[in-house]
Amino acid sequence: MYTDKMLRDDALKGKNIVVTGGGSGLGKAMTKYFLELGARVAITSRDLEKLQHTARELEDETGGTCLPVACDVRHYDQVEAMLKQVLDNFGQVDVLLNNAAGNFISPTERLSANAFDTIIDIVLKGSKNCTLAFGKHWIAGKQQNTVVLNIVTTYSWTGSAYVVPSATAKAGVLAMTRSLAVEWAKYGIRFNAIAPGPFPTKGAWDRLLPGELKEKFDLARKVPLKRVGEHQELANLAAYLVSDFAAYLNGEVITIDGGEWLKGAGQFNLLDQIPEAMWDMLENTIRKNSR
Ligand code: HXC
Ligand code: NAP
């Protein structure tokens, strides 16, 4: 079953992982599975109370160790302080999961300069701040076998109307993933990215499908597999990518979207709408006309 847990028990034992934006949504789901697999996980975001609540809940559910740390990823000094707090508690950190994000739908001409900057700052500058601070730490300490996993989107490469700051920033995060996968491989740091399709969360759905849009734009209909993603499916992929089983995987972006973005891309994909019964007639017409 695709919602089953994939990796063997203790697959992440001994790993210390930082998940930005780990207090809610997909970050929380991935954190939960990492804890179940034996990792210690620090979750960070701007809202300490939310993080403390999530950490307690996940520790109760999994018996693992989850450390809540307040950190606005837009500020490099806060990221350095967060790293120090994680090191003070865990002694070592092995994995950085850049998952924190900000986004909302808007025609671009309605955005203030500050609105555009806010998204770029959370997504691109935030991922850069964490990557740079953790990378410098790992390189200075000659620590090997470390991992950065970035959560991007499929519009990192297609672009998308109405979420232009997010698309611009996620494209930058993907470029950083591929660039550093090569440059920092010599330091034993692996970089990969996941591009999820629609995985319902409150954070994303409130800002991308507000009010009636939830019913009007049923995202499952856009997916060839005719459903949205289950959080455990994403958690399974993330756990594999940060684990030692993925030791030879570097510089890759893995799409997990049920075929959604390709459906929008293929020139004749819309022929899906042709009823089965019509194909005999169409074939006859083609044969006749091409004689
Ligand atoms: C236009 C808006 C706006 C809106 C805010 N702004 N919301 N402009 N339309 N709906 C403007 C504000 O007026 C302000 O500009 C600027 O943006 C900053 O807003 P603040 O509220 O001051 O910022 P902040 O408190 O930092 O909050 C950031 C946020 C908020 C992004 C606006 O939504 C947030 O905290 N989001 C975090 C969680 C999140 O977004 N999760 C969804 C990720 S989903 P002015 O000029 O007035 O100062 C995702 C999915 C991708 O990434 C793919 C899905 C398939
Ligand atoms: P979410 O629950 O809103 O997650 C976003 C997280 O980022 C929140 O926990 C938020 O916590 C944190 N955050 C926002 N601004 C921050 C800042 N300045 N500093 C630190 N943390 C900050 O939404 P989600 O759907 O789970 O999204 C998680 C990731 O998946 C994002 O990268 C998103 O782009 C990606 N994604 C989601 C989907 C989907 O369908 N859900 C699809 C493709 C990609 P605080 O508010 O407490 O700071």
Side-chain angles (χ1 to χ4, degrees), residues 3 9 31 41 45 49 85 92 101 118 126 144 148 169 193 215 225 232 236 240 251 255 272:
T3 49
D9 287 351
T31 297
V41 186
S45 85
E49 224 175 280
Q85 202 179 324
Q92 179 175 302
T118 299
Q144 293 289 306
V148 177
E215 286 76 49
L225 292 177
Q232 185 62 40
N236 282 339
Y240 165 65
T255 301
D272 257 0

Side-chain angles (χ1 to χ4, degrees), residues 20-30 44-48 50-51 70-75 78 98-103 118 121-123 126-127 130 150-155 166 170 194-205 207-208 219 229 231 234 256:
T20 68
S24 66
L26 302 182
K28 180 178 173 183
M30 291 185 279
T44 79
S45 85
R46 297 163 297 178
D47 183 344
L48 185 59
K50 180 174 81 181
L51 294 169
C71 169
D72 187 328
V73 292
R74 291 174 282 195
H75 304 294
Q78 289 192 33
N98 282 312
N99 164 80
N103 200 0
T118 299
D121 284 354
I122 301 171
V123 176
S127 302
C130 294
N150 294 324
I151 306 300
V152 295
T153 67
T154 54
Y155 60 60
S166 172
K170 293 285 192 184
I194 297 177
F199 282 77
T201 64
K202 181 168 168 34
W205 261 228
R207 294 171 175 88
L208 301 173
L219 292 189
H231 289 193
L234 182 77
I256 176 163

